[in-house]
Amino acid sequence: MLDENGVPVAATDKPIHYAPVDEAFWQAVSAGGKGALYVTEVEYDRNNQANYIEVGFPVLDENSKRFVGAVRAFVDVSPLFFMLHRDQGGRALATVLVKEDGTVLS
């Protein structure tokens, strides 16, 4: 979790960057002080050998709706790929995960 300046205030692991204000994540989720949802395309983490998406969502003041910070999470979507590729028991079906531009992900 980051405060309104992008400074980490809570984390499950030590952040790589102290304040990621120059990253696409921060620019998108802070949205010039308005706050907006941020979701990446599926990426692959070689260290963990897992497919993941990065999700960020703004934290807004309950009364003023002013942007006061953001939550950032990396979600392992590898189980989704496993489910898409599991044996269908002889059925002639194929499940394919495709991006908007037609690129096949799985």
Side-chain angles (χ1 to χ4, degrees):
M1 179 165 211
L2 307 161
D3 70 11
E4 64 190 27
N5 298 310
V7 177
V9 294
T12 56
D13 294 314
K14 183 178 179 180
I16 295 171
H17 303 289
Y18 178 68
V21 295
D22 60 339
E23 295 179 16
F25 153 77
W26 185 255
Q27 298 303 315
V29 79
S30 64
K34 297 176 185 170
L37 182 64
Y38 173 75
V39 180
T40 64
E41 295 185 6
V42 176
E43 306 211 11
Y44 184 72
D45 179 352
R46 290 181 190 208
N47 292 334
N48 294 312
Q49 297 182 341
N51 293 292
Y52 71 93
I53 58 171
E54 181 181 355
V55 178
F57 60 93
V59 177
L60 305 176
D61 180 89
E62 187 174 347
N63 297 318
S64 69
K65 304 302 181 206
R66 183 177 69 85
F67 177 78
V68 295
V71 174
R72 183 182 207 178
F74 296 90
V75 180
D76 182 354
V77 293
S78 296
L80 174 63
F81 286 95
F82 174 76
M83 288 188 316
L84 292 173
H85 289 289
R86 71 176 181 216
D87 184 14
Q88 297 290 328
R91 296 165 69 189
L93 296 174
T95 306
V96 181
L97 185 61
V98 181
K99 293 178 13 180
E100 283 185 57
D101 67 3
T103 304
V104 176
L105 298 174
S106 169

